[in-house]
Amino acid sequence: MRFLGVNAVFHDPAAALVVDGSIVAAAEEERFNRRKHGKQPVPFSAWELPEQAMRWCLETAGLTPADLDGVAYSYDPSLVRPGQERLDPAWEDLRTLYAQRAPNFLATALPGLDPDRVRHVPHHVAHAASAGLAAPPVGDERDCAVFTADGRGEDAAHLAGAYRDGELEVLARQSLPHSLGLVYEDLTDHLGFRRSSDEYKVMALASSGTPRFIGAMRELIAATGDGGVRVEPVDFTAFAKRRRPKGEVTGEHADLAASMQLRLEEVLLDLVSWLHRETGLRRLAMAGGVALNCVANTRIAAEGPFEDVWVQPAA
């Protein structure tokens, strides 16, 4: 069986080809178009596909689009809830429309592909598969807990579950608008950096600050004890003046970054501890933008309950 996986709707468009259960080719579009992150991380770019990456994957395997048994597109527009709180409906409607039309876009980009072979896969299920199914086994042990977190998928911000015998069991899904990733993106923007792109700069800036606003962050952001989180709207101007791009970075900016980073680490530790209690598994696989916060991952590996932690590096 030959399946092409396509990530396109948000940012970092990429493609991967799986033949008879093995990954034979995978590439990010930015390697070909030389644009950082492949395209702009904005709703009106959702139509852009990793066309060069898709073609490269097929050429590497000596296949044509007509040879594919299926194409998995990592976003399911049927799961989008209209009028979602804190999300702009105009942009959401546009993104949803582009995702709905993805089969036709793909058939145009890959002549010979039957659009009926395209399937929409829930965003966090795709993340979970990329982690839980790809995680290196420890000895003969392949079962693992899986945690995926980012800004948002269709209607959710994170998923917690387990892969047992290659099958995903979903134990918790965090509904929007409560999202660790979105609040971190909002802070990234407030600090004068590019959201959905420069979050690593906030993580780095945090190392030079003091988390003196942690009390307020703990009031606004908290784990709920059932695998979910509560994230209230944060007025960042109450802690530090909004920074213009390339403007001066002040001590208050660094302290705000440090406070948010610390709270993210604390909540993630709560979430993976809950997941460990629910699954009883020794291994944890993670994926998604939030899961790429390497400072938080270090604490999860060092202080968390799992014996083995693997983070999918191209989330």
Side-chain angles (χ1 to χ4, degrees), residues 196-281:
S196 295
S197 176
D198 290 343
E199 283 71 23
Y200 69 98
K201 295 181 181 179
V202 177
M203 182 182 68
L205 178 60
S207 66
S208 63
T210 300
R212 59 190 177 96
F213 307 123
I214 188 61
M217 295 299 111
R218 286 171 177 157
E219 290 289 328
L220 294 165
I221 304 167
T224 54
D226 58 358
V229 295
R230 173 183 57 82
V231 181
E232 303 296 340
V234 181
D235 179 11
F236 291 114
T237 58
F239 308 101
K241 183 179 179 181
R242 183 179 183 86
R243 173 180 172 265
R244 294 182 178 181
K246 299 183 180 180
E248 179 188 5
V249 178
T250 68
E252 285 189 338
H253 292 138
D255 291 348
L256 181 55
S259 302
M260 177 62 74
Q261 175 65 32
L262 176 58
R263 190 55 184 150
L264 176 71
E265 296 165 15
E266 293 174 341
V267 173
L268 287 176
L269 279 167
D270 279 346
L271 291 171
V272 299
S273 295
W274 174 88
L275 182 58
H276 182 263
R277 291 193 297 271
E278 290 294 311
T279 63
L281 294 169

Side-chain angles (χ1 to χ4, degrees), residues 1-169:
M1 301 293 283
R2 300 170 291 269
F3 291 92
L4 182 69
V6 177
N7 174 60
V9 73
F10 290 116
H11 50 80
D12 295 282
L17 183 67
V18 176
V19 177
D20 295 331
S22 296
I23 301 170
V24 298
E28 295 186 48
E29 187 70 5
E30 71 176 7
R31 300 301 182 187
F32 302 95
N33 66 17
R34 313 309 296 172
R35 295 168 63 191
K36 188 173 183 179
H37 296 296
K39 65 177 183 178
Q40 293 189 70
V42 292
F44 57 77
S45 74
W47 66 272
E48 295 186 50
L49 295 168
E51 295 188 23
Q52 296 180 81
M54 294 189 300
R55 295 190 192 110
W56 179 85
C57 286
L58 291 172
E59 291 169 1
T60 298
L63 299 176
T64 69
D67 295 324
L68 293 170
D69 294 295
V71 176
Y73 180 85
S74 64
Y75 190 87
D76 186 350
S78 70
L79 299 177
V80 175
R81 289 183 291 153
Q84 179 64 59
E85 183 184 356
R86 301 185 211 170
L87 299 179
D88 187 330
W91 287 126
E92 289 304 300
D93 290 348
L94 183 62
R95 180 185 285 116
T96 299
L97 175 63
Y98 285 154
Q100 290 170 337
R101 300 288 178 84
N104 299 101
F105 292 162
L106 285 159
T108 300
L110 299 173
L113 173 67
D114 181 352
D116 289 338
R117 294 187 178 180
V118 178
R119 293 291 182 270
H120 292 96
V121 177
H123 187 71
H124 285 98
V125 171
H127 269 315
S130 78
L133 296 179
V138 176
D140 294 329
E141 188 175 355
R142 292 185 175 274
D143 291 351
C144 65
V146 62
F147 181 78
T148 77
D150 53 18
R152 47 78 58 91
E154 302 87 354
D155 64 341
H158 75 241
L159 176 153
Y163 265 101
R164 300 181 192 271
D165 297 323
E167 296 291 330
L168 174 64
E169 176 189 9

Side-chain angles (χ1 to χ4, degrees), residues 183-201:
V183 72
Y184 208 97
E185 286 184 20
D186 289 343
L187 176 59
T188 301
D189 178 71
H190 183 78
L191 293 177
F193 303 119
R194 187 173 179 81
R195 67 167 65 239
S196 295
S197 176
D198 290 343
E199 283 71 23
Y200 69 98
K201 295 181 181 179

